Amino acid sequence: MPSTLSPRDGVARDRPALCPLGAENPGAGTSYSSEDTSLSPSTAQQSKLAALGRLSASIAHEIRNPVGAMSHAGAIAR
């Protein structure tokens, strides 16, 4: 679970996270990532909208692929 580092003024600007590099190999090491939490509200909103766009594109792709395969199989069977 990420923790938040707060400077002396009490305003959190960085959210570090440590993640293991492989569940099946516990000795593989650890990855460190850091998120800047001082983004403006409009930048945060843009980031959320971009993530939503990527998610919806992924969902559309997952639906289209099986439907296209069934359509193609139906055309071949005729």
Side-chain angles (χ1 to χ4, degrees):
M1 173 73 63
S3 62
T4 302
L5 299 177
S6 297
R8 288 190 179 134
D9 62 3
V11 179
R13 291 182 182 85
D14 186 40
R15 186 183 346 216
L18 297 173
C19 301
L21 289 177
E24 66 280 346
N25 187 4
T30 304
S31 169
Y32 172 82
S33 66
S34 177
E35 177 185 354
D36 181 7
T37 59
S38 64
L39 299 175
S40 68
S42 64
T43 305
Q45 180 69 16
Q46 288 175 348
S47 178
K48 288 179 186 178
L49 287 174
L52 182 60
R54 288 190 300 270
L55 175 65
S56 59
S58 176
I59 291 170
H61 173 77
E62 292 298 324
I63 292 171
R64 263 194 322 262
N65 270 358
V67 171
M70 289 184 286
S71 174
H72 182 69
I76 291 175
R78 291 183 197 165

